[in-house]
Amino acid sequence: MMEPDKATRDGAPYEFKKYGKEGKFVVYTQNSLYCFKKGMAIRDKTVQLICWPIFDNFIVLMIFINSLFMACYDYADPENKGENNRVIEYAGHVFTITFSIECVIKIIAMGFCFHKNSYMRDTWNWLDFTVVCVGIFEQIPGVGGSNLKALRTLRVLRPLRSINAFPSMKKLISSLLASLPALGNAVIFMLFIFLLFCILGVQSFSGVLYRRCRYKPQPDIDPVTKQYTSWPIVEDIERLCSADGAGQGVCSAGHTCGSPSTYGMTLAADGVPDSALIMYGIITFDNIVAGMITIFQVITLEGWSTLMYNLSDASP
């Protein structure tokens, strides 16, 4: 039971004993939405319903089934031409109606947002309300065939609604979120270490990942514009090279190790964006931003060995 001064803040609030062994009381406003008053049949029934454990269990079951349907959805068929996707799409309408009815029932019973203990006063209900609004918005004629169809991606939020159904899970998530500010100093220190290694990488390896064995000592030049246009790469040599021979990669006789930046050529003209060997020119140490991205990828243990071999071959 709430304290008297708090219990009367909204003017003789609605008290209703919960079902089950706990025997707790829920305290809602006496006048929900300024029209559903205490004593009205619809108000009493909705309060009883949201306090009924079977109602919560049913919603959790619907969330679980909805999650299974989402896992079975074939995202390679966005137009729902297959029978499997059509069935899942029809089932999605059922889930949308179910969750919308649940939302309406809770708003009638608890009030919307203007009273203490109302529906939107619980931040966990914001997620539920967002999911319901997105689901209803998808049902508007014309939305499905427009660019707003991307809203379907927000369906992935539906399984998260299960958090609101389990108090112990809510406490766990709340504890994790509360611990995030304390990790701020650790994140700042980590970024500082990233920056140190990034600066070291830029100073040591800037531009070296574009060194390849070439057929000619110099790039081809356009006779009209006098600009370098292309510099053919020896395709048989699937590794980088070192310009002075200090690295592990050394070109065979008759070939030249060179980088397009030496002659002011663009990376696109040299085919860097299409080269899988150097990861399409994304993972480099050409500047601070690219270096930070490269350091981040390395700590994820994805593609670090390819970068290591490339730098070993091309390093001065």
Side-chain angles (χ1 to χ4, degrees):
M1 182 77 69
M2 300 185 65
E3 298 176 5
D5 56 335
K6 295 182 180 180
T8 58
R9 183 173 300 171
D10 290 323
Y14 191 117
E15 296 182 2
F16 192 91
K17 188 175 181 180
K18 276 190 176 181
Y19 287 93
K21 299 179 180 179
E22 296 182 356
K24 295 181 180 178
F25 284 86
V26 291
V27 182
Y28 301 135
T29 179
Q30 189 179 34
N31 190 1
S32 172
L33 299 178
Y34 300 104
C35 59
F36 296 104
K37 298 182 179 181
K38 176 183 178 182
M40 294 180 62
I42 185 173
R43 180 76 192 287
D44 291 346
K45 293 300 181 182
T46 53
V47 173
Q48 292 179 31
L49 187 59
I50 66 172
C51 293
W52 193 23
I54 295 180
F55 177 76
D56 289 336
N57 294 337
F58 172 75
I59 296 300
V60 171
L61 178 62
M62 294 298 291
I63 294 173
F64 177 73
I65 297 175
N66 185 25
S67 302
L68 291 180
F69 274 65
M70 292 176 60
C72 296
Y73 187 84
D74 182 9
Y75 292 93
D77 178 24
E79 301 299 329
N80 300 326
K81 296 180 180 179
E83 182 66 24
N84 180 65
N85 278 14
R86 285 200 296 269
V87 172
I88 294 177
E89 187 69 17
Y90 294 144
H93 300 324
V94 176
F95 294 126
T96 298
I97 294 173
T98 302
F99 297 144
S100 299
I101 293 175
E102 177 210 6
C103 180
V104 171
I105 290 175
K106 287 187 175 181
I107 290 175
I108 293 175
M110 304 168 65
F112 185 59
C113 63
F114 299 107
H115 307 288
K116 186 177 179 63
N117 297 332
S118 59
Y119 183 76
M120 296 300 289
R121 291 295 183 95
D122 186 351
T123 54
W124 289 102
N125 286 333
W126 295 2
L127 175 62
D128 294 1
F129 188 72
T130 301
V131 170
V132 170
C133 289
V134 171
I136 294 175
F137 194 69
E138 289 180 358
Q139 309 304 318
I140 299 177
V143 172
S146 66
N147 293 331
L148 296 177
K149 196 173 182 178
L151 285 173
R152 290 185 176 183
T153 57
L154 295 179
R155 292 179 179 180
V156 298
L157 296 176
R158 285 184 175 179
L160 296 179
R161 297 184 70 250
S162 59
I163 297 176
N164 201 20
F166 299 100
S168 58
M169 188 180 298
K170 290 171 60 175
K171 293 179 181 178
L172 179 61
I173 300 299
S174 299
S175 299
L176 290 175
L177 295 177
S179 67
L180 291 180
L183 296 176
N185 293 334
V187 172
I188 294 174
F189 179 73
M190 181 187 67
L191 292 176
F192 178 72
I193 297 298
F194 277 22
L195 184 60
L196 288 181
F197 280 101
C198 177
I199 294 174
L200 179 62
V202 171
Q203 293 291 327
S204 303
F205 307 120
S206 178
V208 304
L209 292 175
Y210 310 121
R211 294 174 178 172
R212 299 294 300 272
C213 292
R214 317 282 177 165
Y215 286 109
K216 301 177 181 180
Q218 292 184 341
D220 296 332
I221 188 170
D222 190 314
V224 178
T225 62
K226 304 301 181 181
Q227 299 290 328
Y228 293 107
T229 56
S230 63
W231 201 357
I233 297 173
V234 181
E235 300 294 342
D236 295 338
I237 303 178
E238 286 294 328
R239 61 187 301 183
L240 303 185
C241 61
S242 176
D244 56 3
Q248 297 295 322
V250 179
C251 296
S252 57
H255 298 146
T256 301
C257 181
S259 172
S261 59
T262 306
Y263 294 91
M265 294 176 58
T266 63
L267 299 180
D270 200 46
V272 170
D274 300 321
S275 177
L277 176 63
I278 55 177
M279 290 174 280
Y280 310 101
I282 299 174
I283 306 303
T284 68
F285 285 102
D286 291 351
N287 52 64
I288 294 296
V289 175
M292 292 290 282
I293 295 175
T294 301
I295 295 296
F296 179 78
Q297 174 167 323
V298 169
I299 67 171
T300 63
L301 302 181
E302 291 291 337
W304 68 269
S305 58
T306 300
L307 180 63
M308 179 188 68
Y309 287 126
N310 285 343
L311 293 177
S312 178
D313 289 340
S315 296

